[in-house]
Amino acid sequence: MDRGATLLDAASAAGVHVPTLCHLVGSAEPSISCMVCVVRVAGRGPLVPACATPAEEDQAVFTDDEGIRSARRSAIELLLSDHLGECQAPCELACPTHWDVPGFMDALREDRTDLAAQISHDGLALPAVLGEICPAPCQKACRRGERDAPVRIRELHGHVGRMEVATARPEDPGQARGYIPKEDPGQARGYMEDTPAVAVVGAGAAGLAAAGRLAGRGAAVTVFFAGPVPGGSLRAQAELSAEALEADLRSLERWRVQWRPGSRLGEDLSLEGLLSDFAAVVLATGDRLDSEAWTAMGLGIDDAGRLAVDRPSRQTSRPGVFAAGACAGRGGLAVRVVADGLAAAEAVLQHLAGEPVTGPARARNVRYGPLEEDERAQLWAQAGDSGAGPDEAVVDAASAIAAANRCLLCGCEGHDACRLRQLATELGARVSGFAGQRRPWARDASHGALVFEGHKCILCGSCIGRSDGGLAFAGRGFTARVATPYDQPWATALARTDGSLADACPTRAIRRKRPGPPEGPESP
């Protein structure tokens, strides 16, 4: 180990993970601000920060035990208490599928219909269908509704879903429907030799959602269903048009989902046969089968006589067999059933990858909560006027762009890369573990390439070390903040700064600007 190396350096060299939020690689002096990198050194008593403790020969260093994790958890909770972030937008959290609504809106604002379609299919699986029958809990939670009226989220994703299919050209029109003849079961295997093959039994909302997510992630999916055409109970919904359902089915077919109509589980289709031909099976049969039928297939039932399913993982009592929708106890609104199908697909993907099957990850989420009047005024100042009335129908690309421009793009676009959120989830930290004064909502968008959102800052100091003298700490205690000289706008103080500041920020309080429309007014 080099002379002057720290315990954090030694751990990194040995391939041992020690978490940190404030450490800046290559910096001459450690920041020692986050206290997340604490470790235990034998014979030293209290925990010490690995980033500032010299490494010595023959040291016994402990990097992970319950006491260390507890101290790190407390450090994270203290940082969260002063972090006015908003990991995901209210609309995202209100939707059972938690799809990326702001990303979808941002793509539409840039007239990137292809990207918007990808986001809506990935998150909703059946965007055209849900564009007609979803009760739109996302719109009820839309923050824009506090000012005038919610963004027309449901209408927008339904429009994109229908438009995408209307303009698409199948690779092979003769095989567009993709039915597999019963006499040729070998075709049920993957279209690529190394592609995992998954069977989905049932072609209602849960089955179609699971099939879409699995096919979108690279699996070769075959959907078995009793009727002559896919759709299941969706076809009985009077408010759903045949055109919307057909649009989503065609999208699934372009992902090479294969259909096997006239296949009834327990009659001409056996679970044993499916398990011998496929790497995993998703049961999405609705409520058609009873406890006797499940027992005959060797599947466990619960105290109520229904198919027994582990809720987080969607696993049944048989390895490789998962369940979603009504047969797994999740009926009701189509969007909830779709969300359950997507969750089952995520569990299958974990199974195929040989990972522990836990189902979809539940990351920690920070929310704004009540904002002060001056904070709300800053937020509304960026709402602007898109030229679209809140009741204007979405009928073409121009009206879709105008409607999307009403979106405030709430939430943090860097939430998936936020190290504070990752560690909070990993350590089980409470978002509201400590109560106290929080920092105010503030945004400076004056720089040509960067946006600074001071309410997300945790005072780690990473940006100061890379700002070429343009930034420094100001104030003490709860009033401490990252500031520019003489409170100049960022555009002036950081004129020579590139985007590396955004890469260094662990909470994305500093981020790169989105391309497209302006992100709001400059700070005064």
Side-chain angles (χ1 to χ4, degrees), residues 27 91 164 170 216 259 387 409 431 499 522 524:
S27 176
C91 54
E164 179 205 13
W259 310 111
L409 299 178
V431 171
E522 298 179 359

Side-chain angles (χ1 to χ4, degrees), residues 8 22 34 59 66 94 171 210 234 245 251 257 277 280 288 320 340 363 404 415 419 451 459 466 521:
L8 187 61
C22 68
C34 73
Q59 278 180 315
E66 186 48 44
E171 294 178 10
L234 288 173
L245 178 57
S251 294
V257 170
D277 286 337
R288 184 175 61 84
D340 205 53
H415 64 75
R419 298 206 300 277
V451 177
L459 301 176
R466 294 192 181 212

Side-chain angles (χ1 to χ4, degrees), residues 218-522:
V221 181
T222 303
V223 180
F224 298 81
F225 52 97
V229 289
S233 60
L234 288 173
R235 292 188 176 275
Q237 299 207 23
E239 64 271 32
L240 177 62
S241 69
E243 291 78 13
L245 178 57
E246 183 65 19
D248 284 335
L249 292 176
R250 288 291 296 273
S251 294
L252 294 177
E253 286 156 8
R254 289 204 310 281
W255 284 340
R256 303 191 185 186
V257 170
Q258 302 278 0
W259 310 111
R260 283 288 296 271
S263 304
R264 293 182 178 274
L265 185 65
E267 297 178 17
D268 52 349
L269 183 67
S270 74
L271 184 58
E272 297 297 337
L274 291 173
L275 287 171
S276 67
D277 286 337
F278 294 89
V281 176
V282 177
L283 301 176
T285 59
D287 56 6
R288 184 175 61 84
L289 299 177
D290 56 20
S291 59
E292 185 176 341
W294 296 128
T295 303
M297 296 178 209
L299 295 168
I301 57 174
D302 61 22
D303 294 339
R306 297 173 299 194
L307 178 64
V309 179
D310 176 66
R311 176 45 54 189
S313 69
R314 273 68 176 182
Q315 292 186 103
T316 68
S317 59
R318 297 193 64 170
V321 180
F322 302 79
C327 71
R330 181 65 64 149
L333 297 175
V335 67
R336 296 191 182 279
V337 177
V338 164
D340 205 53
L342 295 174
E346 289 296 330
V348 170
L349 292 169
Q350 292 171 347
H351 169 73
L352 295 175
E355 302 171 355
V357 179
T358 59
R362 293 187 176 274
R364 291 293 190 268
N365 273 295
V366 178
R367 304 189 189 191
Y368 280 161
L371 296 176
E372 301 294 334
E373 281 302 315
D374 61 328
E375 295 173 324
R376 290 167 61 85
Q378 292 184 68
L379 185 63
W380 295 135
Q382 69 176 332
D385 182 7
S386 70
D391 298 322
E392 184 174 331
V394 177
V395 295
D396 54 23
S399 58
I401 293 172
N405 270 316
R406 297 186 62 249
C407 178
L408 297 173
L409 299 178
C410 303
C412 175
E413 67 169 323
H415 64 75
D416 287 335
C418 175
R419 298 206 300 277
L420 177 62
R421 188 185 193 218
Q422 291 167 357
L423 286 175
T425 302
E426 176 187 324
L427 295 168
R430 297 169 297 170
V431 171
S432 56
F434 293 93
Q437 182 179 346
R438 61 158 176 82
R439 62 188 56 248
W441 193 98
R443 175 176 293 156
D444 188 321
S446 63
H447 193 274
L450 299 173
V451 177
F452 175 56
E453 297 178 305
H455 49 285
K456 298 179 184 178
C457 179
I458 59 171
L459 301 176
C460 69
S462 296
C463 59
I464 293 175
R466 294 192 181 212
S467 67
D468 194 22
L471 299 174
F473 287 125
R476 304 181 70 177
F478 281 116
T479 66
R481 59 192 174 92
V482 171
T484 59
Y486 307 104
D487 284 332
Q488 296 173 329
W490 273 54
T492 303
L494 302 179
R496 300 187 303 276
T497 301
D498 60 15
S500 63
L501 280 180
D503 300 329
C505 181
T507 64
R508 295 304 186 261
I510 303 173
R511 61 173 173 83
R512 289 181 173 86
K513 282 188 174 180
R514 300 181 179 95
E519 298 210 19
E522 298 179 359

Side-chain angles (χ1 to χ4, degrees), residues 132-155:
E132 292 189 352
I133 66 174
C134 182
C138 57
Q139 293 179 197
K140 296 179 177 67
C142 176
R143 184 173 280 121
R144 180 75 194 227
E146 298 174 18
R147 185 171 189 253
D148 41 36
V151 178
R152 302 168 74 90
I153 303 170
R154 175 181 58 197
E155 190 172 348

Side-chain angles (χ1 to χ4, degrees), residues 89 91-92 97-128 130-131 138-139 151-164 394 396-397 399-410 413 415 514 517:
C91 54
E92 288 183 88
T97 68
H98 302 313
W99 71 295
D100 182 14
V101 180
F104 170 80
M105 294 296 173
D106 200 27
L108 280 182
R109 284 155 61 118
E110 297 177 40
D111 198 18
R112 289 287 310 280
T113 306
D114 54 344
L115 178 58
Q118 177 185 329
I119 292 170
S120 62
H121 278 294
D122 188 60
L124 291 172
L126 305 174
L130 293 177
C138 57
Q139 293 179 197
V151 178
R152 302 168 74 90
I153 303 170
R154 175 181 58 197
E155 190 172 348
L156 282 166
H157 68 68
H159 167 74
V160 169
R162 291 187 295 273
M163 184 174 66
E164 179 205 13
V394 177
D396 54 23
S399 58
I401 293 172
N405 270 316
R406 297 186 62 249
C407 178
L408 297 173
L409 299 178
C410 303
E413 67 169 323
H415 64 75
R514 300 181 179 95

